Amino acid sequence: MKYAVVTGASSGIGEEFCRRLDQDGYQLLLVARRKDRLQQLKKQLHDAEIYVTDLSQSENCHQLFEIIKDKKIDIFVNNAGFGDCGLFCETDLNKEKQMIDLNIKALHILMKLVLKKMVVDDHGMLLNVASSAGLLPAGPYMASYYATKSYVTSLTMAVARELKEQHSHVYVGCLCPGPVHTEFNQVANVEFALKGISPQYCVDQALKKMKKRKVVIIPGKTIKTAVWFAKILPVRWVIAAVSRQQKKKIYE
């Protein structure tokens, strides 16, 4: 039996990963804070267990690993995270601290623990869910969120190179979508300024690219083009363009 773990499984991209992996015959562990959502999703799947926890608390990450450390993990989707929008001097510090704890600290802890196990087993695939925000130099009006996702993309690309040089069979990659039609914008207090993609399309592209061992996965032609231009244009132009887009989320 193939085994997969998905964090942030109660909605959006995480929920869609659960549905797709269930269809592909994986035994699943669904991880999130909202018990009612997890229970409802479990009823719709063939072989799934739930684990209710708040991964922004570091000790809970270690407790999760204790549950799965003796399993042969085929896929681990490091998806839990959220964003926020607004002027840096006006956004809520406590919310930002929780964002850093979840988007960075929890992801880092779980990535470290799970990858060490996978390397010993010489088996497994780990996907960090980042954002196209992590491939851009900065994001005015979503400054903290962009910074957290830059951490994720940088960490993922570095570790992927290490594994390649070690000739490991373990895969690690990061999913970097643009706007996706999920509950993200409600939590982040934004409205998308660009046309979004569906969670179904996002996950479909992710799974296809994972099989091809693509390290940085960017679903959607519009975002791929934007990221490409960001690489060749002066940084100050890119940041100014991002700022204009983010302002639309606040003021329109």
Side-chain angles (χ1 to χ4, degrees):
M1 175 68 72
K2 298 179 292 184
Y3 186 73
V5 181
V6 181
T7 70
S10 61
S11 65
I13 293 173
E15 179 181 348
E16 185 58 30
F17 264 111
C18 294
R19 295 185 187 280
R20 288 295 304 277
L21 293 172
D22 178 70
Q23 292 174 9
D24 292 342
Y26 285 82
Q27 179 186 6
L28 287 162
L29 179 63
L30 320 180
V31 183
R33 291 183 300 111
R34 294 178 288 188
K35 183 176 181 179
D36 56 337
R37 291 283 193 93
L38 291 179
Q39 289 176 330
Q40 183 179 6
L41 178 59
K42 178 183 176 180
K43 292 176 182 178
Q44 301 170 35
L45 305 177
H46 295 94
D47 190 0
E49 297 297 327
I50 67 172
Y51 184 62
V52 181
T53 190
D54 179 2
L55 294 175
S56 67
Q57 304 296 316
S58 295
E59 60 270 21
N60 294 340
C61 298
H62 289 276
Q63 289 174 7
L64 170 60
F65 183 69
E66 286 297 310
I67 292 172
I68 63 176
K69 68 179 183 180
D70 295 326
K71 301 275 190 179
K72 184 179 181 182
I73 305 171
D74 295 284
I75 294 180
F76 190 98
V77 182
N78 220 354
N79 171 68
F82 69 93
D84 196 18
C85 188
L87 287 164
F88 181 77
C89 289
E90 297 178 0
T91 47
D92 182 79
L93 177 58
N94 288 328
K95 186 175 182 181
E96 288 174 331
K97 287 166 62 179
Q98 186 180 18
M99 188 197 313
I100 291 167
D101 287 341
L102 187 59
N103 293 13
I104 294 179
K105 289 184 179 179
L107 180 138
H108 185 111
I109 292 168
L110 290 170
M111 180 182 179
K112 171 82 79 171
L113 296 175
V114 173
L115 270 185
K116 287 178 70 175
K117 171 181 165 49
M118 286 182 170
V119 168
V120 171
D121 295 342
D122 199 26
H123 172 83
M125 307 179 81
L126 185 145
L127 183 72
N128 290 324
V129 177
S131 166
S132 58
L135 301 172
L136 299 173
Y141 303 98
M142 292 190 77
S144 299
Y145 174 73
Y146 271 61
T148 66
K149 293 305 181 180
S150 292
Y151 182 94
V152 175
T153 56
S154 176
L155 180 68
T156 303
M157 289 187 285
V159 175
R161 182 65 195 184
E162 291 178 6
L163 293 172
K164 182 176 181 179
E165 292 185 2
Q166 294 168 356
H167 305 290
S168 174
H169 292 105
V170 175
Y171 163 86
V172 62
C174 56
L175 176 60
C176 298
V180 182
H181 294 301
T182 68
E183 295 177 2
F184 174 89
N185 56 334
Q186 297 172 21
V187 176
N189 300 314
V190 302
E191 290 293 335
F192 291 139
L194 300 174
K195 183 179 180 181
I197 60 175
S198 70
Q200 293 80 9
Y201 177 79
C202 182
V203 170
D204 179 68
Q205 291 298 302
L207 292 173
K208 286 180 179 179
K209 298 300 183 181
M210 287 170 68
K211 291 178 181 178
K212 295 180 180 180
R213 303 185 74 82
K214 181 77 171 176
V215 175
V216 178
I217 302 169
I218 309 173
K221 293 182 180 179
T222 301
I223 296 300
K224 282 182 181 177
T225 302
V227 170
W228 183 83
F229 274 110
K231 292 179 180 179
I232 63 173
L233 293 174
V235 169
R236 67 181 186 278
W237 291 10
V238 177
I239 295 174
V242 172
S243 180
R244 288 193 293 271
Q245 290 296 324
Q246 303 299 13
K247 280 183 181 179
K248 295 177 183 179
K249 297 176 180 179
I250 303 173
Y251 300 120
E252 288 192 355

